[in-house]
Amino acid sequence: MFQPVLRIDPSCLWGRVVCGDTETTKQYDNLLHQMNLFYHDVTQDLRRLQPTSLQEGEVCVVYWSAMKWWCRAVVESVFMDLASCQAHCLLVDHGERLVVPSDRIRVAVPHFLELPFWVRRFHLAGIKPMTLKLDLDIVDNIRLSSVSLCILSVLVYISLCSLLSELIGRFCLIFQICVNDDLVAKKFALYMREADGDGLDELDQFPVMLSSNILTQTVCTTSNKLAAQTQPRPGKHPDVTSCSWQPPLSVSACLNFTRRPLCLQMLRRKQHLTLSPAECYSWPAVARGCNTVIISHNADQPLSYLVPLLTHILLNSIYASRTSSTGPIAVLLCPGWEKIQAVYDLLEEMRVIQSLHPVTVLLGIGKDEPKAVRIPKNCLLLVTTPFSLVRLLSSHCFLFLRLYHLVLDEADQLFTLAPDEMATILQHFQKITLSGEKGSCSQQLVAVAKRWTSHMESLVANHMPHPCIVTTVLEEAALYGNVQQNILVTLESSKISVLLGALDFNPDVAQKTLIIASSAQEVEDVFKNCSPVIRSMLLISEKNARHVVGVLRYLGRTNAPLPPELLSFAQSVQLVREDQKTDRPLCSYLKSFGVCRDSSVCPDRHTFISHLDQSVLPATGVIEVVPLHIKTASVFYGRIVQKEEGGFQSMESEMTSYYAEKKSGAKELLEGGLYAVQENELFHRVKLLSVPDRGDRLFFSVFARFIDIGKEEEVKSHQILQLPEQFHSLPDQAVEIIVCRVKPTDAETNWHPKVTRAISQKIRGLQHRARAVFSLGNTVFVDPMVRVTQVPGMKTVINEYNVQSEILNTGMAVSNPEHLDLLRAFCQESKTGSSKEAGQLSGFHPQVRWHQTSDSVIVTVKLMNPESQRCDFYPDRVVYSGRVNGQMYRADLELQANIAADRCCWEMKSNEPVLKLVKQQQGRWERLLRNKVPEVVFFVEDTGEDNCYVNAESGSESD
């Protein structure tokens, strides 16, 4: 009887023969316990236990770091490099192969060799490898490729996971698949058939699939035939047998896969029990060492490619140590420092730090930085950015002569952000490929991305011989296949007729046609009206408004001509989306650097709204500021020091005196309420942003803004103090301070934490002198900002440091001279664009009717049962928006006179929205709007009632 496989190799399955009693298990458990007591004993003489030399075939005891056990092992090979001596060992009681450094190898005491080796070797009969690349000087026996190990392990793992929930205690488990057949089906092996009893030498490449109801068959012992019938194939088929798996452990213990290969350990830890289609297709190629391109939606998740990649790298690391060169054997390129950190954290979780000794490198633009970098000799994996790698190559090119694996994480972003650097790196990689330094390992280039770009097409053509290209994103596959797009804009009601008119039913050159419909009914309608056709169409109607921006962004990457109607349609939709962001703050990237990192996906606002962005803060002149909360290296929150007024200092002193006598806890916590919080010896005013439902909890946390500092953070409820009314009157003191003309280097979107930390340590809490150059809302832009110190006893002051210079001196920043010009241009364009907005959105403007009394105006928006409604009242304008049948409508009414915005309201009457606008001054309005809107035409008709006027549509003067 066969106990669960401990170490799987397709040509060699390590297992234990179960005899039915538990005595044997107890003996080996006791042996393991005694060995670990002995070799963990710090009083033992290490000089006596450390071997003087290591030879192949020698039995010893090694330390298994993953399990923290000392185990019996046989040395299979010994290899030395310039840094260390290591041995490739087989754990004879566990079936695991390890690479162990010599300082973790001990002499086997004779007492621990009395029991025979616990694992035995089993083979898969009737198959042999299909493809194999081996160095005969290194490997003396034929084995299946390492990827088969991963595939077979995953098959057994999935089988076990799917059945463990139904099994308890001691149970029998059989394969859901025939492993032999599955390896053949995946083209890792070929069948063999006997030739007159003289061995298996004739190949048969046709797989035989087991019956789908294999799990319902009777489970027999290993000597019995499987009752399930298989499809016949030429030749004699070896007997297909089932194995009875009887683990002597509990079900929970069976879930411990720490003895399994690397891939299974990580899959279990991440609860990654199902592989995505991209992973199913790409993992075999990556683990085989093939050049691979992966295009998938989850390409930004490193786990989608790291598991098979690291499995292959760990195998190659053994052979790479035989080369004369040093340095990493693999380089993983990331688009920025945040991704570097995410990858390194994942490597730590995968527990490969001790095996690969990965190093992250992020260099600034300082000339001497690359020279100061020291990469450890045992580093096998380097994680960095294209910019940093090019700087390293300029000073340490000889450290990258045994580079076998080059991995491009988010490859589309790498080529977009650093095209010149990528060209340099690929040229270096190609030189290594052509050199004779690659030893026993073949080189591998893996590119992972969400999009297929022209750069990747060049990458495949020039740097990836015999590539495996995997894409599970259909629109990207269309780009890869160069599918020609034909775009038509039409009304929804005439879509079918436009389609039929555009199709050519008698083409000169045959061409396949793909018609994608938005519903099953639409598919039926198209099919009824179309005979087999041979072209491809994309029809866009007004019902596709919510998709049109994304469609246009995709079509922009093709060579398809774009209809002007589509461009205008998309522009209108984009403007509507931006107008729906009035409750969002102005984009922080736009303010910090002058441009947004990606306005198409950014959730914040990118338009200037006068009543929100008009600022009372100084836009010119010299000011004194105290940074109190450092958000990023160039964005701070703090106070503007007013020379004439001492209001804030006075309030601070009074609060300290008040709470020195009595600290009354808050009686009731209300969202939006003002309270006080003590930090060290200071008391701060806070405004509660959110208060959770406390339920039965005695202690809980609330989210609060420190209105005089600018920071937002969680505060424990018992720390919140009641704030007397006399401390409510002073306005919020915190303002946002942005230092102009600096931005992160290397196309980074965010400042590196070490830059922010360095600036915070230097400026926090200190008064600085700055020149205000611009202001928006609660933000003041300064250039420059310096620390001024007065010479004791003199009126002379000196500039201690310039904040911009300090940021640039970190090497992680560059000058951004266009910053202020971009901000001013943004404000000017937004103001100009707002006057044209009504005309640009004419297709989305609803009909409006209005009448008035002496003190109010009643506006009726002619939309039946609209959804997602929103109405904002301002002193000089009203903005209404709503959706009907998937179409977004918006009315931005600039009024000819002012209204009392806080007293206005709206409601639904007769299934239509009705807005009541309260006039600031009573009287009759001659017009409703300040400017004419051609699409909305009104005239005023006297109804005969006192002080009441009604409008109706006509062809007369527009309102």
Side-chain angles (χ1 to χ4, degrees):
M1 203 168 290
F2 197 45
Q3 198 180 12
V5 176
L6 301 175
R7 184 70 170 100
I8 303 174
D9 188 313
S11 60
C12 170
L13 285 78
W14 292 99
R16 299 166 181 162
V17 176
V18 180
C19 300
D21 63 331
T22 60
E23 187 63 30
T24 302
T25 302
K26 291 181 179 180
Q27 290 178 355
Y28 283 97
D29 288 344
N30 182 61
L31 172 64
L32 181 64
H33 178 69
Q34 294 298 326
M35 279 197 306
N36 280 275
L37 285 177
F38 180 82
Y39 289 103
H40 277 302
D41 188 356
V42 295
T43 64
Q44 297 290 342
D45 186 2
L46 289 182
R47 292 175 298 177
R48 182 175 61 87
L49 292 179
Q50 285 185 333
T52 56
S53 62
L54 293 175
Q55 297 180 355
E56 294 185 9
E58 182 179 353
V59 179
C60 58
V61 176
V62 301
Y63 184 70
W64 188 4
S65 58
M67 301 299 296
K68 296 181 173 56
W69 291 344
W70 288 96
C71 308
R72 300 188 300 175
V74 171
V75 177
E76 293 189 328
S77 60
V78 180
F79 49 95
M80 298 192 317
D81 55 24
L82 299 178
S84 63
C85 173
Q86 295 176 307
H88 194 214
C89 301
L90 169 68
L91 304 186
V92 295
D93 296 322
H94 306 280
E96 184 78 29
R97 280 190 169 89
L98 302 177
V99 177
V100 185
S102 58
D103 59 350
R104 294 192 175 187
I105 301 176
R106 301 289 184 267
V107 173
V109 177
H111 172 68
F112 296 139
L113 299 178
E114 294 178 356
L115 287 178
F117 299 156
W118 200 7
V119 297
R120 298 186 184 181
R121 179 182 297 178
F122 298 85
H123 291 267
L124 295 179
I127 61 173
K128 68 181 298 184
M130 187 176 190
T131 59
L132 192 61
K133 291 183 180 180
L134 295 174
D135 190 327
L136 297 181
D137 295 333
I138 298 175
V139 182
D140 56 1
N141 60 332
I142 298 178
R143 296 174 182 167
L144 291 173
S145 59
S146 61
V147 68
S148 305
L149 161 65
C150 180
I151 296 299
L152 180 55
S153 301
V154 172
L155 292 173
V156 177
Y157 171 67
I158 294 174
S159 301
L160 184 58
C161 289
S162 63
L163 293 181
L164 276 180
S165 59
E166 303 176 6
L167 305 175
I168 55 175
R170 296 174 63 86
F171 59 92
C172 293
L173 174 64
I174 66 171
F175 282 117
Q176 286 184 331
I177 41 78
C178 174
V179 175
N180 305 54
D181 292 338
D182 203 81
L183 289 175
V184 173
K186 288 181 169 59
K187 299 183 179 179
F188 291 111
L190 301 175
Y191 284 120
M192 299 182 298
R193 58 189 182 189
E194 298 180 9
D196 300 327
D198 294 331
L200 302 171
D201 56 0
E202 189 174 350
L203 301 182
D204 184 358
Q205 301 188 28
F206 300 95
V208 172
M209 303 306 296
L210 289 179
S211 172
S212 60
N213 61 347
I214 182 174
L215 292 178
T216 64
Q217 305 299 326
T218 304
V219 179
C220 311
T221 63
T222 52
S223 61
N224 294 331
K225 303 285 184 68
L226 182 66
Q229 297 298 319
T230 61
Q231 301 173 6
R233 72 170 187 266
K236 183 178 179 181
H237 186 285
D239 294 337
V240 180
T241 61
S242 68
C243 299
S244 178
W245 302 63
Q246 291 188 321
L249 308 174
S250 63
V251 174
S252 60
C254 290
L255 287 174
N256 185 0
F257 283 94
T258 55
R259 299 181 183 181
R260 303 287 181 182
L262 170 66
C263 55
L264 296 190
Q265 296 180 30
M266 197 57 201
L267 290 175
R268 174 180 174 271
R269 196 174 300 120
K270 287 290 187 181
Q271 297 295 314
H272 197 85
L273 301 181
T274 303
L275 299 182
S276 68
E279 292 167 345
C280 290
Y281 284 102
S282 64
W283 279 22
V286 175
R288 272 176 162 174
C290 300
N291 293 322
T292 309
V293 177
I294 306 170
I295 309 293
S296 70
H297 288 301
N298 63 341
D300 56 343
Q301 302 174 11
L303 187 60
S304 65
Y305 64 85
L306 272 183
V307 171
L309 177 71
L310 294 181
T311 302
H312 186 59
I313 290 177
L314 286 170
L315 178 67
N316 270 6
S317 65
I318 301 174
Y319 308 122
S321 63
R322 296 175 177 265
T323 64
S324 59
S325 303
T326 60
I329 67 172
V331 169
L332 199 159
L333 294 179
C334 300
W337 66 264
E338 292 173 292
K339 193 58 175 291
I340 289 177
Q341 189 60 49
V343 170
Y344 190 81
D345 292 342
L346 193 57
L347 293 174
E348 285 187 325
E349 291 184 45
M350 299 177 79
R351 301 176 184 175
V352 297
I353 300 297
Q354 294 181 345
S355 303
L356 295 177
H357 307 284
V359 172
T360 63
V361 173
L362 194 66
L363 297 178
I365 57 177
K367 295 182 179 180
D368 297 329
E369 280 196 56
K371 299 177 182 178
V373 173
R374 293 293 178 265
I375 299 178
K377 291 183 179 180
N378 58 358
C379 170
L380 299 179
L381 174 61
L382 180 70
V383 186
T384 185
T385 65
F387 299 96
S388 295
L389 182 57
V390 169
R391 292 169 191 143
L392 272 179
L393 289 174
S394 65
S395 300
H396 301 283
C397 62
F398 294 108
L399 282 179
F400 298 93
L401 294 180
R402 62 170 187 172
L403 182 58
Y404 302 122
H405 310 273
L406 180 60
V407 186
L408 311 181
D409 185 284
E410 297 188 60
D412 50 337
Q413 292 294 316
L414 296 180
F415 283 107
T416 300
L417 299 175
D420 297 336
E421 287 74 14
M422 289 302 301
T424 301
I425 293 168
L426 292 173
Q427 184 179 11
H428 177 82
F429 190 69
Q430 193 170 38
K431 288 181 179 178
I432 301 174
T433 305
L434 299 176
S435 69
E437 189 63 30
K438 57 185 180 179
S440 307
C441 306
S442 59
Q443 288 191 300
Q444 179 184 30
L445 202 161
V446 178
V448 187
K450 284 188 173 183
R451 302 187 307 169
W452 176 265
T453 65
S454 58
H455 292 105
M456 299 182 67
E457 187 173 350
S458 175
L459 173 72
V460 171
N462 301 322
H463 302 281
M464 301 179 73
H466 312 294
C468 174
I469 301 176
V470 177
T471 176
T472 55
V473 185
L474 296 182
E475 57 268 29
E476 301 304 321
L479 282 176
Y480 170 76
N482 197 26
V483 175
Q484 300 300 311
Q485 305 290 342
N486 192 357
I487 305 99
L488 300 174
V489 180
T490 178
L491 295 175
E492 182 70 20
S493 58
S494 57
K495 187 158 56 175
I496 299 297
S497 60
V498 170
L499 171 65
L500 295 176
L503 294 175
D504 184 1
F505 294 98
N506 297 293
D508 296 331
V509 180
Q511 205 173 21
K512 292 184 178 180
T513 300
L514 175 64
I515 302 176
I516 301 176
S518 58
S519 66
Q521 182 60 44
E522 199 169 79
V523 171
E524 294 293 334
D525 295 340
V526 172
F527 183 76
K528 292 176 183 177
N529 290 275
C530 293
S531 58
V533 291
I534 47 178
R535 288 175 59 197
S536 175
M537 301 288 169
L538 175 62
L539 278 79
I540 300 176
S541 70
E542 69 274 11
K543 286 186 65 175
N544 306 121
R546 63 193 181 100
H547 300 296
V548 69
V549 175
V551 169
L552 185 63
R553 190 163 56 244
Y554 171 77
L555 293 175
R557 298 163 52 204
T558 69
N559 295 323
L562 302 178
E565 301 94 331
L566 178 61
L567 296 174
S568 177
F569 190 23
Q571 184 181 18
S572 300
V573 172
Q574 188 66 31
L575 288 172
V576 171
R577 287 183 177 179
E578 282 296 329
D579 285 338
Q580 291 175 337
K581 297 179 181 180
T582 54
D583 58 340
R584 297 291 304 171
L586 193 62
C587 175
S588 60
Y589 292 94
L590 182 64
K591 293 192 295 183
S592 299
F593 310 123
V595 292
C596 178
R597 56 179 177 176
D598 189 352
S599 59
S600 63
V601 296
C602 179
D604 291 335
R605 180 165 50 89
H606 302 89
T607 54
F608 178 88
I609 300 178
S610 58
H611 69 278
L612 294 177
D613 300 320
Q614 200 70 36
S615 178
V616 296
L617 298 176
T620 59
V622 177
I623 58 176
E624 300 286 331
V625 297
V626 180
L628 298 172
H629 170 59
I630 312 304
K631 184 178 180 181
T632 70
S634 62
V635 180
F636 329 123
Y637 282 91
R639 291 187 295 107
I640 297 179
V641 179
Q642 304 291 342
K643 295 182 180 179
E644 299 82 7
E645 300 179 4
F648 178 73
Q649 288 79 3
S650 176
M651 185 194 70
E652 263 192 329
S653 177
E654 292 177 10
M655 286 180 64
T656 302
S657 301
Y658 175 84
Y659 288 112
E661 299 177 359
K662 182 181 179 181
K663 296 180 182 178
S664 302
K667 299 177 181 178
E668 184 181 9
L669 299 182
L670 300 176
E671 187 172 317
L674 287 179
Y675 302 87
V677 170
Q678 182 180 4
E679 280 190 347
N680 300 323
E681 301 300 324
L682 299 177
F683 293 89
H684 305 286
R685 296 187 300 169
V686 298
K687 181 178 182 179
L688 301 190
L689 302 179
S690 63
V691 179
D693 184 10
R694 62 181 297 178
D696 298 330
R697 291 177 296 172
L698 182 61
F699 300 104
F700 59 96
S701 297
V702 298
F703 199 62
R705 177 192 295 129
F706 290 68
I707 62 174
D708 299 320
I709 298 178
K711 66 179 180 180
E712 298 178 358
E713 62 181 34
E714 282 193 345
V715 179
K716 290 181 170 41
S717 59
H718 65 272
Q719 296 177 331
I720 299 178
L721 306 175
Q722 197 72 32
L723 185 69
E725 287 294 331
Q726 65 262 30
F727 301 131
H728 288 209
S729 58
L730 190 69
D732 301 0
Q733 295 295 294
V735 298
E736 187 179 32
I737 305 166
I738 296 182
V739 175
C740 297
R741 296 192 302 111
V742 286
K743 64 180 179 180
T745 188
D746 297 345
E748 294 278 4
T749 56
N750 295 312
W751 290 104
H752 194 279
K754 77 174 187 180
V755 183
T756 301
R757 185 166 53 250
I759 299 302
S760 177
Q761 293 171 352
K762 198 169 192 69
I763 72 172
R764 185 173 179 268
L766 301 178
Q767 184 167 324
H768 293 71
R769 183 169 297 173
R771 180 178 296 279
V773 292
F774 198 63
S775 63
L776 284 172
N778 195 42
T779 304
V780 59
F781 298 82
V782 298
D783 181 23
M785 175 176 168
V786 297
R787 168 67 173 165
V788 176
T789 305
Q790 185 170 2
V791 178
M794 301 177 64
K795 294 183 178 181
T796 305
V797 295
I798 59 174
N799 293 341
E800 191 173 330
Y801 57 80
N802 182 307
V803 176
Q804 282 102 326
S805 299
E806 293 297 316
I807 296 174
L808 293 171
N809 289 341
T810 63
M812 309 295 288
V814 293
S815 179
N816 183 17
E818 302 88 4
H819 186 185
L820 196 57
D821 293 336
L822 291 171
L823 283 174
R824 288 171 174 160
F826 155 73
C827 294
Q828 186 62 36
E829 289 174 4
S830 295
K831 292 176 182 178
T832 304
S834 62
S835 63
K836 301 178 180 178
E837 186 176 330
Q840 292 172 334
L841 298 178
S842 59
F844 300 91
H845 203 298
Q847 297 181 9
V848 175
R849 299 181 180 230
W850 69 283
H851 68 274
Q852 63 177 313
T853 64
S854 60
D855 59 352
S856 64
V857 175
I858 309 300
V859 178
T860 302
V861 182
K862 304 301 291 182
L863 295 175
M864 294 298 295
N865 299 314
E867 301 174 345
S868 305
Q869 297 183 84
R870 179 187 178 93
C871 189
D872 297 311
F873 299 99
Y874 307 106
D876 59 347
R877 66 197 271 253
V878 179
V879 180
Y880 170 84
S881 61
R883 186 185 298 273
V884 178
N885 297 327
Q887 174 67 58
M888 178 60 68
Y889 292 88
R890 182 179 183 277
D892 188 346
L893 308 177
E894 294 187 5
L895 306 175
Q896 64 94 19
N898 289 343
I899 59 176
D902 56 338
R903 296 169 55 195
C904 298
C905 61
W906 70 281
E907 60 181 342
M908 294 293 294
K909 286 185 178 181
S910 302
N911 298 326
E912 294 179 339
V914 177
L915 287 59
K916 181 179 180 180
L917 313 181
V918 180
K919 300 176 181 177
Q920 282 190 3
Q921 295 181 353
Q922 293 188 3
R924 182 177 183 274
W925 286 9
E926 296 296 332
R927 308 171 60 85
L928 174 64
L929 304 182
R930 184 185 309 163
N931 300 311
K932 296 181 180 181
V933 179
E935 291 77 13
V936 182
V937 180
F938 301 96
F939 74 89
V940 180
E941 176 183 329
D942 193 341
T943 63
E945 301 179 6
D946 292 341
N947 299 325
C948 183
Y949 305 90
V950 180
N951 73 293
E953 296 177 89
S954 77
S956 64
E957 181 185 10
S958 64
D959 194 354

